[in-house]
Amino acid sequence: MANNITDVFNEYFEMVPAISDELKNEVYKLRYQVYCIENNFESSGQFPDQMEFDDYDQHSVHYLIRHRKSGDYAATVRLILPDANNPEKLFPLEIHCGVDNFAVMQPINRKHLGEISRLCVSEAFKKRKNEAHTLAAIGPDQQGYFTPDERRTFLHISLALMACIIKASHENDIHYTYAAMEPSFVRFLSALGINAIKVGPLADYHGNRWPTLIKGTDMLNRLAEKNMDIWNLLTNKGCFLQAKPIIEKPATLWRNTKALGEINNSNPLDSSIAYCEL
C-alpha cells in the first residue's frame, strides 16, 4: 500500500519524456488546448493543425504527465535550453518581462541557464470533487470516473512538472532556471520552502507574472531541510539526481535580513519577497 506522496502519485500518473515526434505532437496538442481553447492566451487561428508550438521548441526538453488508467495526458512542461547556434539568444522571459536584478544575473554563465516554460495542466485535472465546479471532463454520468485517491493527487501534478524540470536540468547541465510565475504559484512554492528569486517587476505576460530565477542546488538543499516528502517527489527519491541530498548550511547572503526573518518566522506565503545572492 502506497504511504507517501511519491508512491501515491506514481500509482496514478507517470512522467513521460517527449522524445519522439509522436509524443512532441501530444505536447503541442495539449498546449493548444490549454493556451488557445481554455485560456485564449494564444490565437487558435495561428495553429490550423491544433498544435501550439514556437521557435524555442527546437532547443527545448519536453515532458508530459500521463494518467495511467485513462492514458490521457494531464499536463506538460518544457525546459528551454540555450540555443547552441545562438548562445546569446534571449529567453522568452527576457523578451516579455523586465529583468533588472543585475546583481543576481551578472555572475551567471548563460550556458547553464534555462527557462521553465509552457507549464500547463489540462482543465480536466485542475479541479477536485468538492470544489465549486466539477472536473471539465466529467459529465453527469461520469462522476465516478476518478477515485477520491486520484483526485487527491491532482494537487501534486504541478510539483511533478517541477520534478520533470529538475531531471531535465540535471541531464543538461542547467544550474539556473528562469520562470514567469503567477503570484499564486509563487506563494504555493514559497509555502513549501521553494523560494524563487524575483529578478524583475510584475509583468503582464499571459496574465500577471513574476519573472523569477531558481538555483537548483539551493532549492533542493533548502527543501530537503524542510520537507523530505516533497524533496522525494521532486527528485523521485533521489533517482533524478543519482545521489542522496547533501544537506549543508546555506553559504549565501541575504540582502534583506528582515525578509529572511519573515521567511523563517511568519506567514510562509509571503516569503517570496526576499532576494538571495547567488
Side-chain angles (χ1 to χ4, degrees), residues 38-51:
E38 295 174 4
N39 293 285
N40 293 318
F41 288 152
E42 302 287 346
S43 170
S44 60
Q46 294 181 328
F47 308 101
D49 294 335
Q50 299 186 355
M51 293 190 289

Side-chain angles (χ1 to χ4, degrees), residues 164-184:
C164 295
I165 292 295
I166 288 169
K167 186 174 188 294
S169 296
H170 182 71
E171 292 173 345
N172 291 277
D173 203 21
I174 298 298
H175 305 167
Y176 305 87
T177 49
Y178 279 134
M181 295 187 184
E182 295 175 332
S184 60

Side-chain angles (χ1 to χ4, degrees), residues 149-205:
D149 283 343
E150 283 177 295
R151 290 191 183 95
R152 280 191 285 270
T153 65
F154 293 170
L155 178 63
H156 299 126
I157 291 176
S158 293
L159 289 177
L161 293 172
M162 293 294 291
C164 295
I165 292 295
I166 288 169
K167 186 174 188 294
S169 296
H170 182 71
E171 292 173 345
N172 291 277
D173 203 21
I174 298 298
H175 305 167
Y176 305 87
T177 49
Y178 279 134
M181 295 187 184
E182 295 175 332
S184 60
F185 194 57
V186 173
R187 293 193 297 269
F188 169 67
L189 293 180
S190 297
L192 298 176
I194 302 173
N195 296 299
I197 306 162
K198 294 177 182 176
V199 294
L202 194 67
D204 184 3
Y205 177 37

